[in-house]
Amino acid sequence: MMLAWSFAARTPDEIARLLRALGKHRYVREVDHRLHWSVDHALAELPEFAPHAAAFEARLRKERGLELGSRDPSLWREAKTEEVIAALTAFWTPDASALRYQDRLLEALARTGLPEATHAPFASAPDDPPHPELVLLDWELYPVDELDADRHAGALAAMEEAEEEVNASAPIYNEGPVLAAPELCEGAPNGALEDDFLVWSDGPYSYSDYVFRGVAKAAKLVDPPTGYRDL
């Protein structure tokens, strides 16, 4: 079961610091971020996204049968943390450019033939996420049995103190919030999210909590993250 931690990150700058800190943290084994083709289309005037948008349009000319609204994994591409930050900043900066990007995003999604996502930003049903999600944020932490006694002493001590049962060999997956059209287009009125940024984890609570507290500190956020045991 995944549990959520809320981070005191609401502006694009705060979220950028959080994403960078989490992506570089010593407990993170792998970072996997992906952008939907519609995001590249919407941001095609920006140099980071123009080549990807052009490549996808060229693909469409060759693959006439490509279903733009399907769950084909190739409709998403791998993205570096800085590309994700650039995309979120573009959509969430309150200016005329953001309005243009949002219009282009909705135009692209209309081409899929899928029904428009109507949930309120950051309020989609947990057991029924919208399709397509446009920005996928995933991180994998080292399983407990791969932690180094010196390098990872903090989390090991936290788990020992918590006396928590753990599956030592299980990989630990973390993921960001659902980011679909409502989140990108309406999620940051006046340039800030209305609620804290969430990161979900399926690891031992004490392990994930230790890592996330370190991430928040490294990101220079004003407060430590809040998990359900803090409520």
Side-chain angles (χ1 to χ4, degrees), residues 55-181:
F56 190 80
E57 291 299 327
R59 179 187 175 193
L60 281 180
R61 290 192 290 271
K62 294 179 181 178
E63 299 180 39
R64 298 291 185 179
L66 185 63
E67 296 184 17
L68 294 177
S70 73
R71 298 181 185 271
D72 182 343
S74 71
L75 297 177
W76 288 259
R77 67 169 177 88
E78 292 184 13
K80 297 178 181 178
T81 299
E82 292 304 318
E83 291 179 294
V84 170
I85 290 170
L88 297 180
T89 300
F91 284 110
W92 290 344
T93 298
D95 58 16
S97 295
L99 296 176
R100 187 166 64 252
Y101 303 145
Q102 293 163 13
D103 286 344
R104 285 180 56 83
L105 180 70
L106 297 177
E107 167 198 294
L109 291 172
R111 292 165 61 187
T112 68
L114 293 169
E116 182 179 346
T118 57
H119 64 273
F122 301 102
S124 60
D127 56 349
D128 187 24
H131 171 70
E133 294 184 54
L134 304 180
V135 182
L136 301 174
L137 303 175
D138 293 283
W139 303 265
E140 181 183 335
L141 304 186
Y142 286 103
V144 174
D145 63 6
E146 291 186 25
L147 297 179
D148 180 87
D150 295 321
R151 181 172 170 77
H152 303 123
L156 291 169
M159 285 183 281
E160 183 177 0
E161 181 179 351
E163 298 181 343
E164 192 171 5
E165 287 189 18
V166 302
N167 181 347
S169 61
I172 295 165
Y173 297 108
N174 302 324
E175 59 185 46
V178 168
L179 295 171

Side-chain angles (χ1 to χ4, degrees), residues 5-10 122 177 193-198 223-224 226:
W5 276 255
S6 62
F7 288 80
R10 300 192 181 192
F122 301 102
L193 309 188
E194 294 187 338
D195 292 303
D196 289 349
F197 194 87
L198 296 182
D223 291 309
T226 301

